[in-house]
Amino acid sequence: MRSLEARAKAFRARVRVRAWEARQLRGAKGTWYRLRRTLARAQDAFAVDALVIDELLAEGYLREPVGDELEPTRSYVFVPPERAEAIRDRRRLALRLSAELLAAPNVVLVPFALGPRSHDDVAKLR
Amino acid sequence: MLVAGSEVPNLLEPHSASTLVVSQDVDVAVPIQRHSEVKARLSRLEGLAPSSEEPSVWLPTDPSRIEVNFIGYDPTETDPTSVRVFEDEALPLMVFGPLSFLRRGRVIDLGDGLLVPVPRNAGLLLEKLVTDRSGVKGDRDLLVALGLVMVATPEDLDELVTTSRSLSRELQHAVRSNLSTLSLLEPIGGMPDPTKERARVAALLERLEREP
């Protein structure tokens, strides 16, 4: 019975930690969730040069705010697939929380085409 | 009783094809209101014996069997973050609050008179997605959730979305957070490949975030 009590205690501790983190979601505690959520929207990711990001911003695309929550900051910019294909020097990144992706300072993301909301998002980025 | 663990996606595949998940055990969820009835039938189990360290775990004595874990659930539980121990000399049970999402679903006929009751997909999926886990076990549990998403019908997903909207904000966030983690997992052998199902996960996340 002692082992069950220990498991219950560990479970309760995790629930308490999660509740504490949930209360701080709008702050730094929520950064990793917002980053995962941003990356989860993407079907493709590419590492690019800073100059490419500058071009995209000049064209009206927007940096995802979560990039500013990291230190050093990162640039994550969603573009439609055809715009991503037009970037000559791009290096495909696997979409997982890998050192490679997290180390890339400038990342172009291509969203999944999911429905009205995503199309709106893409339209807003133009 | 319901079979409630990683075997469920396998059982819900067409013809219970069992191609999705390689399991090392079977979780049997016991409603605590029926505990005495289950306990009375334990002596009929063949090829399994209770672990001396943990009597809720039954170990195979016959190499053709796999381990069985008895876990408790209380369908009347109103706090899905709770956990408690149901004490009993012969069959103590951990009673997990998230298992209160389980609702009886289909009974799957595996032939030779073997009928396996499984929960409704949405409830089990929600249980997997609100439970806070970490490490390899946590990743495997999320991939089991992915298996459930893969075999879910549109009605199952409707039910998941509707039920999740009735949860506290913290638990709704837990569901979305676990799905976002699932979307970025690396493949694990013998489990559904998350890299091939990212679009499905992204679509579910979108639905969960949309205003009702």
Side-chain angles (χ1 to χ4, degrees), chain A residues 1 3-5 7-8 11-12 14-15 18-19 25-26 33 36-37 39-40 42 95-96 112 114 117, chain B residues 54 81 83 87 92 94 130 132 170-171 173 176-177 180-181 183-184 186 198-199 202 205-206 209:
Chain A
M1 213 80 77
S3 65
L4 290 188
E5 289 292 356
R7 284 178 65 196
F11 183 97
R12 290 188 198 106
R14 287 199 301 273
V15 167
R18 185 174 67 187
L25 266 180
R26 291 181 195 279
Y33 166 68
R36 289 199 310 273
R37 184 64 194 96
L39 298 175
L95 271 155
R96 62 184 65 133
F112 284 107
L114 291 174
R117 177 178 152 163
Chain B
E54 180 42 69
T81 65
V83 63
E87 297 196 12
M94 286 278 280
V130 300
D132 195 41
E170 179 189 328
L171 290 182
H173 170 73
R176 294 193 301 267
S177 180
S180 71
T181 299
S183 166
L184 301 169
E186 294 189 39
R198 295 190 63 252
L205 265 167
E206 287 275 327
E209 288 177 346

Side-chain angles (χ1 to χ4, degrees), chain B:
Chain B
M1 291 199 321
L2 300 167
V3 169
S6 58
E7 288 289 355
V8 176
N10 290 339
L11 292 165
L12 291 178
E13 284 183 82
H15 311 295
S16 301
S18 300
T19 64
L20 287 171
V21 176
V22 176
S23 298
Q24 75 278 28
D25 58 15
V26 175
D27 288 340
V28 174
V30 177
I32 54 167
Q33 292 83 354
R34 311 291 294 270
H35 177 270
S36 57
E37 294 168 65
V38 174
K39 186 174 152 181
R41 287 171 171 77
L42 288 176
S43 60
R44 290 160 58 177
L45 285 178
E46 294 174 6
L48 293 161
S51 155
S52 55
E53 290 90 16
E54 180 42 69
S56 65
V57 174
W58 283 55
L59 304 173
T61 54
D62 170 346
S64 67
R65 308 292 169 93
I66 62 172
E67 186 178 307
V68 173
N69 290 303
F70 290 97
I71 48 179
Y73 77 106
D74 182 353
T76 66
E77 175 63 64
T78 55
D79 179 5
T81 65
S82 68
V83 63
R84 60 193 158 101
V85 178
F86 184 95
E87 297 196 12
D88 186 87
E89 279 298 315
L91 186 64
L93 297 171
M94 286 278 280
V95 184
F96 291 104
L99 289 170
S100 63
F101 292 124
L102 298 188
R103 296 290 178 269
R104 195 178 171 89
R106 293 162 50 195
V107 175
I108 294 174
D109 186 349
L110 295 180
D112 296 329
L114 182 57
L115 301 174
V116 181
V118 296
R120 293 173 70 85
N121 186 311
L124 184 58
L125 184 49
L126 207 51
E127 183 269 327
K128 298 283 172 215
L129 292 174
V130 300
T131 303
D132 195 41
R133 300 176 173 97
S134 59
V136 174
K137 170 82 168 86
D139 290 354
R140 281 186 61 91
D141 282 336
L142 286 179
L143 294 175
V144 172
L146 178 60
L148 291 169
V149 172
M150 291 164 69
V151 299
T153 63
E155 292 75 22
D156 291 331
L157 296 180
D158 289 347
E159 186 179 333
L160 174 77
V161 171
T162 304
T163 311
S164 69
R165 282 187 182 136
S166 68
L167 301 179
S168 68
R169 288 182 63 173
E170 179 189 328
L171 290 182
Q172 287 189 45
H173 170 73
V175 170
R176 294 193 301 267
S177 180
N178 274 322
L179 282 171
S180 71
T181 299
L182 171 56
S183 166
L184 301 169
L185 285 182
E186 294 189 39
I188 295 178
M191 302 296 285
D193 184 346
T195 63
K196 293 181 177 159
E197 305 296 334
R198 295 190 63 252
R200 212 191 287 254
V201 174
L204 183 54
L205 265 167
E206 287 275 327
R207 282 196 67 188
L208 288 166
E209 288 177 346
R210 222 175 282 157
E211 290 299 316

Side-chain angles (χ1 to χ4, degrees), chain A residues 5-105:
Chain A
E5 289 292 356
R7 284 178 65 196
K9 194 174 170 186
F11 183 97
R12 290 188 198 106
R14 287 199 301 273
V15 167
R16 281 196 297 273
V17 170
R18 185 174 67 187
W20 173 73
E21 288 180 343
R23 290 194 295 274
Q24 303 175 68
L25 266 180
R26 291 181 195 279
K29 285 280 182 294
T31 295
W32 290 111
Y33 166 68
R34 286 187 285 278
L35 178 59
R36 289 199 310 273
R37 184 64 194 96
T38 298
L39 298 175
R41 284 170 51 207
Q43 63 175 347
D44 292 303
F46 301 98
V48 298
D49 289 336
L51 284 176
V52 172
I53 296 292
D54 291 343
E55 284 173 22
L56 294 173
L57 298 182
E59 292 170 28
Y61 295 101
L62 301 175
R63 293 175 72 240
E64 291 295 308
V66 72
D68 290 328
E69 297 180 37
L70 302 171
E71 183 56 42
T73 59
R74 301 279 185 266
S75 292
Y76 300 106
V77 178
F78 276 99
V79 302
E82 59 274 16
R83 183 64 186 89
E85 282 169 22
I87 300 168
R88 194 176 302 166
D89 289 325
R90 65 185 196 278
R91 179 169 53 90
R92 184 178 288 277
L93 299 166
L95 271 155
R96 62 184 65 133
L97 286 181
S98 62
E100 182 189 35
L101 193 148
L102 293 175

